Amino acid sequence: MPRRKPTIPERSQLARAAVEYIEHFRRKGENAEPYDLAFRGLGKIDWLHAQSRDGIAAYAARCWANGEQPYDGWTAQEMNEAELDRQAQSQHNRRVALQNSARLRAIRDAD
């Protein structure tokens, strides 16, 4: 299965699972940093993109240290809207990159 970045609702679930993973191993007496525990737990998810794993682990460790729940106060509707916004921004960025690439190719080929 190819690695991919998670959607915002998936990020929420992964961050909550990472906080639970930290809590579980801290109760067992594991003497590791919360970030390291979260990163290790998220590393077991085959499809998770490495950059996303790093960000989610850092967010989960911060939430655990502050005694907060990840994405606390977010409704399912807000998460879905944020995901749609993220997808729209990604499509926009891709279009701009393609336009810039075409422009640079045209300049290169004109020389």
Side-chain angles (χ1 to χ4, degrees):
M1 172 181 271
R3 293 188 181 265
R4 67 177 178 82
K5 292 191 175 191
T7 65
I8 291 178
E10 288 173 332
R11 290 179 78 81
S12 171
Q13 292 174 339
L14 292 168
R16 285 188 174 100
V19 168
E20 289 174 11
Y21 194 87
I22 294 168
E23 189 64 35
H24 172 75
F25 280 96
R26 290 294 236 172
R27 271 192 247 128
K28 286 179 68 173
E30 180 108 13
N31 192 20
E33 291 295 318
Y35 170 82
D36 295 332
L37 290 170
F39 192 82
R40 182 174 74 191
L42 292 168
K44 297 176 183 184
I45 301 170
D46 292 338
W47 59 264
L48 185 59
H49 190 277
Q51 184 180 18
S52 297
R53 181 179 63 210
D54 183 50
I56 295 168
Y59 177 61
R62 188 180 81 220
C63 287
W64 183 84
N66 294 336
E68 302 169 352
Q69 281 297 317
Y71 293 90
D72 193 30
W74 284 55
T75 65
Q77 179 65 29
E78 290 171 328
M79 284 191 200
N80 288 331
E81 288 174 7
E83 177 59 23
L84 291 174
D85 289 344
R86 186 192 68 79
Q87 289 176 6
Q89 183 64 45
S90 177
Q91 289 173 351
H92 169 75
N93 291 347
R94 188 170 192 281
R95 277 193 306 272
V96 169
L98 289 172
Q99 289 169 352
N100 285 338
S101 179
R103 183 180 55 79
L104 291 172
R105 270 195 308 274
I107 291 170
R108 180 195 67 202
D109 292 345
D111 288 343

